[in-house]
Amino acid sequence: MARSSRLDDIPGLPARRAALRLLDAVLRRGEPLELALHGAAQGLAPADRALVHAIAAETLRHLPDLDALIDRATRQPLPGDAKARMVLRIALIQVLALGTAPHAAIATALPLVDGGPRKLVHGVFGTVTRAQPVLPDPPALPQEVVARWGEQWGEAMPEAAARAFGARPPVDVTLRDEGETALWAERLGGTSMAPGHVRLPEGTAIPDLPGFAEGAWWVQDIAASCPARLLGPGEGRVVLDLCAAPGGKTMQLAAAGWRVAAVDQSKKRLERLRENLERTGLSADIVQADLRQWQPGEQADAVLLDAPCSATGIYRRHPDVLHRIGPRQIAELAELQAALLDRAAEWVKPGGVIVYATCSLERAEGETQLAAFIGRRPDFAAVPAGTNELPEGVPPTPQGWVRTLPDTLEGRGGTDGFFVARLIRATTRV
């Protein structure tokens, strides 16, 4: 215990130890990076927490490239889950991506080996850094991801995904009043690709911008704005926004004149939704519930189901999904989505509309899911999305779905990967 306390007196070591815990939580236990951060960095100052997040996120972004450097410097490959490999990843990413001096990186790395092969770690680190390597741009995607996406979408898709992975994602905002699109595009110095949308210049500091404090807009990727766009004006009708938090779609629907019931299981995420509604001056009925048990009091005019999914479509901002998500997780989530779709279908009035969406690049969570649902429920039929309903450069598929891929809006900053489908319920059961 005394030895551990003395080690933690080394400047910067607690943050590196927390980064090691965080990467272990993501890579070994499959926990999402953002959720695992709180536990891994507990007790650290905000600046140290930010460093922990940066080390872990950049390690995950460049994991295949870091491992290639390590493997070229070792006679026998280190096991993928070996502590020595993990410590080397942390030390090298600081030098190669975060600007840390090599002596500082290794000084805070060796104590993390904790009785392991310190000599090996020191030797491999020295061999790699003396060669002064540069990390590839764009970063390499994990081979299993390349294979999976290539099989689903063709060989060009993983290449586009890698290019998108190497670029900083833009910041999109959705406006409370789409009639002021030109005004806010000018005030924010951005460009618009749809009514109610502005894409901001790179590096913009969000809270300092005009309109943020008074709730004139909120941050929302342009692809994530598409599901609510397909429901159009509410005109006082009732919509169930399922899996609603943190509230981007809820606010869109409320701003469009819908009476919104926003349902989500997470108390913490619903607190953010409440804060967002308060800031924007919009209103919705908020319900904390598990959709697998919850039932609405009556059927609604429309339902928006932003279903729990693999989140592989937001890999640019969340590189951990590339390492946490595989065929087993995708299959489990697709099963949950099917169950939620079947429940939500009963909550739509005859003649009403359901919009199904996932921020996923997996067909099992999009195209295949919807085909199976329509097969089960012939009383639902597709209502194709029109080009006038979608942002510039986001065309509907031949089936009328919305599918954004890594090359969507390429050259204009790109967008998240999304699948969106709109269905109408027949007035009589088929």
Side-chain angles (χ1 to χ4, degrees):
M1 188 72 176
R3 180 175 178 271
S4 177
S5 299
R6 287 197 303 272
L7 287 176
D8 284 343
D9 289 338
I10 298 173
L13 182 58
R16 275 69 174 187
R17 196 182 298 281
L20 183 64
R21 287 196 297 267
L22 180 54
L23 284 167
D24 182 70
V26 172
L27 295 173
R28 191 169 60 84
R29 299 200 297 273
E31 298 178 21
L33 177 68
E34 305 300 332
L35 293 181
L37 176 63
H38 176 73
Q42 201 160 17
L44 294 181
D48 285 335
R49 285 174 62 89
L51 176 60
V52 170
H53 184 274
I55 291 172
E58 288 304 303
T59 298
L60 294 167
R61 186 174 297 278
H62 295 279
L63 199 63
D65 300 316
L66 291 170
D67 283 347
L69 291 172
I70 293 167
D71 290 341
R72 285 199 293 268
T74 54
R75 292 178 182 175
Q76 293 184 336
L78 294 167
D81 60 351
K83 181 175 283 189
R85 180 182 289 276
M86 195 72 81
V87 170
L88 280 165
R89 290 165 172 168
I90 288 174
L92 289 171
I93 200 63
Q94 292 176 74
V95 175
L96 300 178
L98 300 179
T100 305
H103 71 272
I106 194 63
T108 52
L110 290 178
L112 301 178
V113 180
D114 195 22
R118 290 169 62 103
K119 190 174 180 180
L120 172 66
V121 169
H122 197 281
V124 172
F125 179 84
T127 299
V128 174
T129 54
R130 280 194 298 272
Q132 298 184 322
V134 176
L135 290 171
D137 184 17
L141 300 176
Q143 277 304 308
E144 56 271 25
V145 174
V146 172
R148 189 175 74 238
W149 287 352
E151 182 180 358
Q152 294 181 71
W153 305 105
E155 292 181 5
M157 186 277 205
E159 296 173 3
R163 291 194 299 272
F165 199 36
R168 185 173 180 178
V171 175
D172 295 317
V173 303
T174 297
L175 305 179
R176 185 176 57 200
D177 183 354
E178 69 174 34
E180 297 182 342
T181 302
L183 168 68
W184 282 107
E186 182 178 356
R187 289 191 69 186
L188 297 173
T191 58
S192 178
M193 289 179 275
H197 164 265
V198 177
R199 176 158 284 185
L200 304 180
E202 187 176 322
T204 304
I206 300 300
D208 301 333
L209 290 176
F212 176 79
E214 55 267 41
W217 49 264
W218 55 90
V219 175
Q220 184 181 35
D221 189 87
I222 194 168
S225 75
C226 289
R229 291 180 184 276
L230 294 191
L231 286 176
E235 299 172 339
R237 293 175 293 161
V238 174
V239 61
L240 303 179
D241 183 11
L242 307 180
C243 308
K249 299 175 187 68
T250 301
M251 292 183 286
Q252 277 183 280
L253 294 167
W258 289 90
R259 290 165 51 206
V260 187
V263 188
D264 200 280
Q265 188 174 0
S266 169
K267 180 180 179 182
K268 185 174 182 179
R269 285 165 59 83
L270 282 175
E271 289 172 1
R272 287 184 58 199
L273 189 150
R274 286 190 179 89
E275 292 168 2
N276 285 328
L277 288 173
E278 184 176 345
R279 182 173 63 84
T280 57
L282 297 167
S283 63
D285 293 329
I286 297 174
V287 180
Q288 183 187 351
D290 184 338
L291 293 177
R292 291 168 293 188
Q293 280 86 43
W294 181 77
Q295 289 271 16
E298 58 185 6
Q299 290 178 319
D301 300 291
V303 169
L304 196 166
L305 173 59
D306 185 5
C309 72
S310 64
T312 51
I314 56 175
Y315 73 100
R316 298 180 303 166
R317 295 180 175 89
H318 300 277
D320 56 301
V321 301
L322 298 177
H323 307 285
R324 292 189 298 104
I325 298 297
R328 179 177 61 84
Q329 291 84 0
I330 293 166
E332 290 172 353
L333 286 160
E335 187 176 338
L336 173 61
Q337 292 150 15
L340 294 181
L341 254 176
D342 288 342
R343 287 182 66 77
E346 297 299 334
W347 304 339
V348 184
K349 290 179 180 177
V353 171
I354 184 169
V355 169
Y356 169 83
T358 56
C359 56
S360 169
L361 287 167
E362 316 300 330
R363 286 185 180 273
E365 299 181 284
E367 291 83 351
T368 304
Q369 185 72 258
L370 257 292
F373 173 75
I374 292 173
R376 296 192 302 273
R377 295 297 300 263
D379 54 326
F380 281 84
V383 182
T387 54
N388 62 319
E389 298 176 285
L390 298 173
E392 296 171 18
V394 182
T397 69
Q399 298 85 0
W401 314 137
V402 180
R403 165 55 80 185
T404 57
L405 290 168
D407 63 352
T408 303
L409 297 176
E410 192 171 22
R412 302 176 70 178
T415 186
D416 287 343
F418 252 83
F419 175 83
V420 189
R422 176 174 56 189
L423 305 168
I424 189 168
R425 188 175 189 180
T427 53
T428 56
R429 184 74 183 257
V430 176

